[in-house]
Amino acid sequence: MFKAVYLILTQFLLLYLQLELGNIGWALPLAQLGALYAVLAFGRNWGAGAALFSSAVLCGLYGGSWNVLYPLANTLLALILGWWIDRHDEDVRPDFWTPGAWAGLLAGLPAIMNLLSSWVLTGRYPQQLHWVLLQSLWCTVVSAALFLLFIVLGEVQMEFLGLPRFMTRKGGHKR
């Protein structure tokens, strides 16, 4: 029960922050990073549900044909992260930046696909493609660093709230 309440509240807060940052031009997938941390702390099913929820909300708000792929891609990323975690040990290592980078890359995918489809349909090269690719690269790098920060802050928050933590989920003992 507490996990569900925690996930709903944090996903709404992260969605709000993501939309506010998007309004000033910073396209960061904060809600997806929160869902990826839920995979680490609570397990694959909780994280996939959070990813599907937040992605569906964003898809409904943004609209557009390419944004329909966003819920599918983010849920798949959460499931892949769950599989990846099951095959690694429970220690946080430096290569934990990779799920955040993938989330950042997926965040820019609908805009890139929209520009490429307009290029194919009209035959004119979109001048914004360079800017969108640069923004996607920036989003990927920043999301990778933010995911490591999400892990650290999430562990502190979970310890304070008494909820399951990533460091104790797999081994069943505190470190």
Side-chain angles (χ1 to χ4, degrees), residues 76-94:
L76 185 63
L77 179 62
L79 292 173
I80 290 171
L81 177 62
W83 173 82
W84 185 65
I85 289 301
D86 288 342
R87 272 125 190 97
H88 286 76
D89 58 358
E90 58 266 3
D91 292 332
V92 176
R93 297 191 322 253

Side-chain angles (χ1 to χ4, degrees), residues 45 113 123 147:
N45 294 334
M113 295 305 293
F147 186 59

